[in-house]
Amino acid sequence: MKKDIKYLNGKKCANVPITMVTAYDFPTAQIIDEAGIDSVLVGDSVGTNYLGLTSEREVTIGDMLHHAKAVRRGVTDAFLIVDLPFGCVDTLEIALESSRLLTEAGADCVKIEGWGEKADIVRGLVDNDYKVCAHIGYNPQIHDKPAVFGKDRDQAKELLDGALLLEKAGASLIVLEMVPVLLAEEISSSLKIPTIGIGSGNGCGGQVLVINDLLGLSPKLFKHVRRFANLRETLLDSFREYISTVEKREFPAA
């Protein structure tokens, strides 16, 4: 069954958490979709997790299009969200053109970083029939290093007010990244649209994880991550065994 915004809203209404994970290639996307995930995100995290870049700010619209097309080929049912990369939401004109390209590449929805100040961009995209996922709290495209946002009263109010503005502008859902648990719960309960948490506790309307973190491919374990596999060690063992069997002429066998 093809999942859409109506489906995600239905899960929010039923108080059943939405599941989301990043993907950057065809075979991984195929497996994720077969598993039954609700939403797949082609994030600009492709830069640091897949392309060997040092920052998400180095990712281009060309990079996002390449990986969005690959993931789209593997995804049949999941709701596919693709990041608008750094610089692509500086003006509405750029955002519209970038969203057109991503939608033609297969995106069901585009994701935009920024708090309430991006409400006009969101509104402009929605007015042109693009579905938008907002992203507040820690924004890798904007902030120099990871941090928890909303720990003091003023910043907490800014986040809540920003979320309400983004919802009013027409955002279909909002990612809350590294937002204090109680604040994330308050924002989630104040909105009619779903929230998706990452490092923001389990009171959000759903959860998203970077695929490399979920599968244990990343050498570093972040505080907000739970590894559901340890593929890094599995792959290392597999490659070492391959090297050994080839060198001993045990593979290929007669």
Side-chain angles (χ1 to χ4, degrees):
M1 180 190 76
K2 174 61 183 165
K3 295 168 183 175
D4 54 15
I5 288 295
K6 183 179 179 180
Y7 173 86
L8 300 182
N9 284 330
K11 292 198 75 170
K12 175 180 170 63
C13 291
N15 198 29
V16 178
I18 295 163
T19 56
M20 184 185 295
V21 68
T22 68
Y24 315 115
D25 60 68
F26 168 75
T28 306
Q30 220 179 13
I31 295 169
I32 291 171
D33 198 58
E34 185 179 341
I37 206 85
D38 293 322
S39 180
V40 171
L41 169 64
V42 184
D44 58 6
S45 52
V46 66
T48 52
N49 287 281
Y50 224 76
L51 301 178
L53 303 177
T54 58
S55 169
E56 288 85 355
R57 297 176 190 175
E58 299 176 61
V59 176
T60 67
I61 187 67
D63 294 328
M64 297 308 300
L65 289 168
H66 177 85
H67 290 277
K69 289 175 183 177
V71 171
R72 174 79 275 173
R73 296 181 192 110
V75 169
T76 302
D77 295 334
F79 187 68
L80 182 58
I81 303 173
V82 183
D83 264 337
L84 284 162
F86 182 70
C88 285
V89 293
D90 289 349
T91 69
L92 179 57
E93 183 180 11
I94 297 171
L96 284 169
E97 175 62 12
S98 300
S99 297
R100 181 187 68 80
L101 292 171
L102 293 178
T103 301
E104 289 177 354
D108 297 316
C109 177
V110 296
K111 186 165 78 62
I112 176 173
E113 291 190 12
W115 302 11
E117 78 278 2
K118 292 300 184 185
D120 287 342
I121 299 287
V122 171
R123 185 177 295 106
L125 291 173
V126 173
D127 286 345
N128 282 273
D129 297 325
Y130 294 107
K131 290 183 174 59
V132 180
C133 173
H135 182 167
I136 66 174
Y138 169 56
N139 288 151
Q141 292 180 18
I142 298 170
H143 304 118
D144 292 329
K145 59 181 180 179
V148 176
F149 287 87
K151 290 189 290 186
D152 63 70
R153 178 183 291 270
D154 290 342
Q155 199 172 71
K157 185 177 186 305
E158 185 181 358
L159 278 167
L160 176 57
D161 290 348
L164 292 168
L165 280 173
L166 292 164
E167 179 183 57
K168 187 176 181 180
S172 295
L173 60 164
I174 299 182
V175 171
L176 307 179
E177 183 165 1
M178 296 184 71
V179 174
V181 172
L182 293 179
L183 176 59
E185 290 177 356
E186 182 176 356
I187 292 172
S188 298
S189 63
S190 299
L191 300 177
K192 296 181 178 65
I193 60 176
T195 59
I196 307 295
I198 178 166
S200 300
N202 65 5
C204 300
Q207 298 293 326
V208 60
L209 274 181
V210 171
I211 188 72
N212 295 45
D213 297 332
L214 185 154
L215 294 179
L217 289 168
S218 305
K220 183 176 181 180
L221 179 63
F222 298 99
K223 289 176 68 174
H224 68 272
V225 170
R226 174 180 169 184
R227 285 177 174 162
F228 291 83
N230 193 355
L231 292 194
R232 185 178 179 83
E233 290 302 319
T234 299
L235 290 171
L236 280 170
D237 289 344
S238 299
F239 293 137
R240 286 165 179 159
E241 183 179 358
Y242 171 70
I243 292 167
S244 176
T245 56
V246 168
E247 291 180 344
K248 293 176 182 177
R249 297 190 183 277
E250 295 174 356
F251 173 83

